[in-house]
Amino acid sequence: MSDETVDCQSDYDPNSLSLQQARTRIIDSLAPLQQVQWLSLSECLNRVLAQNVEAPRDVPPYRNSAMDGFACRACDLPESGEAHLDIVGESLAGHAYQKPLLANQAICVTTGAVLPDNADVVVMQERSIRTDTKLTFNVTDAQNKSFVRQRGSDTRLGDIVMLAGQRIGPAQIAVLASLGLTGINVIRRARVAILSTGDELVEVGTAPAADQIYDSNRPALTALLQKAQVECIDLGICADNPDAIRETLLKAAANADLIISSGGVSVGQADYLRSVLDDIGELNFWKISVKPGRPLTFGRIEKAHYFGLPGNPVSTLVTFQQLVEPALNKLSGEREKDFELALTARCESTLTKQAGRQEFQRGVLREGDAGELLVEVTGAQDSHILSSVSRANCLIDLPSDSRGVAPGENVRVYPL
Ligand code: AMP
Ligand code: MG
């Protein structure tokens, strides 16, 4: 039975877990992977740090100029009015001026250039007049801001600049490079096996019979796993046959840290995942009170964790984002986020919903003329309507007790 056909009140099951309960159960049953590998900076994007990073040097490594301009000594400046100094040389980025400044001397400097030890003021070029070797500027410009970057003003030798469990993005790579680190230790990638189940499914590139459809969940899962930086073991399409499912799941369990199947987890006569799991694995929970995604199975098969996602493509995408992604993050050693970035937006559509389970509708979030956030639903929200997801840039999170939303009411949204 597909989950969009049962969204009436009778569908409410007091034994099903809330999303938060399901998430907690999942997180509590997973331990981060322990194996570590060293990767160069060019290889570590989106991986997770295995250990704290301690700064091996000061950044910046020397006092330098924050502007193109002129460096001088504060003690040579009058208290007010104009300063008149002699320009005696230059310090360019990568070509330091090697001497201390003497009385009434200034040097021309570029941004990032080393400052002589006794130069404590930089005046902007745009605020100075240079005539040959003479420099004139108003001292209030020098007094307002000195444009000197101190050694170690970004990071000091010995500082812990990143904690184990940090996901490495472009900014973290920049920090590591600025410290002169060529690479770092990261947690190894999780190995995730995926399979689709259903006699109606064919692989793209194969002609479907009149009663068949293309398998879109596996390409979607492959992409989601690619984005999550985990290793994907593609086990293809499995027929609605308990023996074939059992064999495929056991093969998956021998090679993967986590297994994701889609389809066959409900109570229809061709839904075998639940009974096969009872046979070869261990069930943790079976139902969540979330739409889309109600019949979602989580458990273990041998050493591998197992997610049986519903077959409806929208359910697969949404439950992956809500439940599988946090599981992969924990497995990959990522520290739990302190908060989830939810926004409040004014809803411009009428949203229909039954009370009794949390619901994620797909929406388009935009900024209104006055800077306010507005959200519109992306048309029909049945869980087989993939186009509702591909047009969306956010999920609208409707709490369990909501009975729908009228235009003008505020809703919580998660940008995608
Ligand atoms: P099931 O969960 O097996 O009852 O499937 C629910 C609905 O999702 C049915 O309409 C299936 O045809 C569809 N479905 C299941 N698996 C896939 C898949 N891999 N790709 C596209 N649609 C699927
Ligand atoms: Mg099926």
Side-chain angles (χ1 to χ4, degrees):
M1 183 162 46
S2 58
D3 64 324
E4 94 263 18
T5 56
V6 285
D7 52 2
C8 55
Q9 282 231 258
S10 63
D11 173 44
Y12 176 67
D13 178 349
N15 295 320
S16 60
L17 300 182
S18 72
L19 183 67
Q20 198 44 53
Q21 287 169 325
R23 242 185 231 154
T24 304
R25 287 250 204 132
I26 292 166
I27 295 298
D28 289 350
S29 64
L30 289 162
L33 299 170
Q34 292 302 310
Q35 295 92 333
V36 165
Q37 66 183 127
W38 187 92
L39 290 182
S40 69
L41 292 191
S42 62
E43 300 166 311
C44 67
L45 180 65
N46 286 335
R47 300 295 294 273
V48 177
L49 262 185
Q51 60 203 88
N52 294 350
V53 176
E54 188 180 321
R57 51 178 57 80
D58 288 336
V59 178
Y62 43 78
R63 252 166 33 97
N64 67 90
S65 173
M67 285 288 169
D68 294 330
F70 299 91
C72 60
R73 310 187 310 177
C75 62
D76 290 331
L77 305 182
E79 277 185 13
S80 59
E82 284 192 339
H84 299 278
L85 302 173
D86 302 319
I87 301 170
V88 295
E90 60 185 19
S91 183
L92 309 184
H95 303 277
Y97 181 75
Q98 302 293 352
K99 293 174 282 189
L101 296 181
L102 303 179
N104 292 317
Q105 287 187 340
I107 55 169
C108 177
V109 292
T110 59
T111 306
V114 175
L115 293 174
D117 286 345
N118 63 348
D120 42 17
V121 172
V122 171
V123 254
M124 287 170 69
Q125 193 165 302
E126 297 86 331
R127 292 286 183 172
S128 334
I129 300 163
R130 175 186 193 160
T131 15
D132 197 13
T133 59
K134 296 292 177 195
L135 177 68
T136 306
F137 57 88
N138 192 319
V139 289
T140 49
D141 286 326
Q143 286 156 351
N144 286 344
K145 197 166 190 308
S146 73
F147 298 115
V148 174
R149 295 170 178 164
Q150 298 299 337
R151 174 180 177 149
S153 53
D154 183 354
T155 301
R156 287 190 175 282
L157 167 75
D159 280 354
I160 302 296
V161 290
M162 272 174 237
L163 295 173
Q166 165 79 50
R167 184 76 68 177
I168 313 282
Q172 285 71 33
I173 290 174
V175 168
L176 296 167
S178 76
L179 294 168
L181 299 171
T182 54
I184 32 137
N185 282 324
V186 299
I187 310 276
R188 81 154 161 88
R189 281 173 196 258
R191 282 190 286 273
V192 181
I194 58 170
L195 61 139
S196 294
T197 68
D199 286 346
E200 76 279 32
L201 303 176
V202 295
E203 186 101 30
V204 281
T206 312
D211 53 0
Q212 289 188 308
I213 58 169
Y214 292 114
D215 174 4
S216 61
N217 285 344
R218 222 155 27 91
L221 287 171
T222 305
L224 288 162
L225 295 177
Q226 239 169 8
K227 238 177 134 180
Q229 275 285 347
V230 300
E231 214 177 289
C232 178
I233 305 168
D234 188 347
L235 296 175
I237 298 168
C238 191
D240 286 322
N241 169 312
D243 293 333
I245 291 171
R246 184 182 300 110
E247 195 185 319
T248 309
L249 289 179
L250 286 172
K251 185 169 136 198
N255 296 302
D257 303 300
L258 190 141
I259 305 165
I260 306 171
S261 69
S262 73
V265 283
S266 194
V267 293
Q269 61 182 33
D271 291 336
Y272 296 111
L273 270 298
R274 169 84 204 272
S275 59
V276 171
L277 183 67
D278 283 342
D279 190 18
I280 61 170
E282 206 177 297
L283 177 79
N284 188 316
F285 64 82
W286 176 50
K287 269 190 186 171
I288 53 172
S289 49
V290 177
K291 183 187 176 185
R294 188 185 56 97
L296 180 140
T297 303
F298 178 69
R300 273 185 95 94
I301 300 169
E302 296 176 348
K303 286 204 179 79
H305 301 281
Y306 169 69
F307 278 96
L309 304 186
N312 273 305
V314 178
S315 312
T316 298
L317 286 167
V318 172
T319 52
F320 184 97
Q321 195 217 15
Q322 295 297 322
L323 293 169
V324 182
E325 216 174 80
L328 291 176
N329 291 343
K330 172 102 189 255
L331 259 191
S332 307
E334 188 176 0
R335 265 178 300 128
E336 249 186 283
K337 294 185 179 63
D338 298 332
F339 58 88
E340 232 178 328
L341 188 60
L343 305 172
T344 299
R346 198 168 77 223
C347 190
E348 296 186 286
S349 316
T350 300
L351 308 184
T352 53
K353 179 184 175 296
Q354 305 285 345
R357 62 180 177 180
Q358 187 175 357
E359 193 166 320
F360 292 99
Q361 299 203 5
R362 281 70 71 196
V364 178
L365 183 66
R366 67 187 176 89
E367 202 176 355
D369 293 338
E372 76 279 31
L373 287 176
L374 303 172
V375 67
E376 234 178 314
V377 78
T378 56
Q381 295 292 304
D382 291 335
S383 47
H384 68 287
I385 300 194
L386 263 179
S387 51
S388 73
V389 196
S390 79
R391 279 200 301 274
N393 64 4
C394 73
L395 290 179
I396 307 170
D397 180 0
L398 302 174
S400 180
D401 57 3
S402 158
R403 291 178 178 276
V405 174
E409 287 183 43
N410 280 341
V411 288
R412 273 162 68 86
V413 299
Y414 294 100
L416 287 173

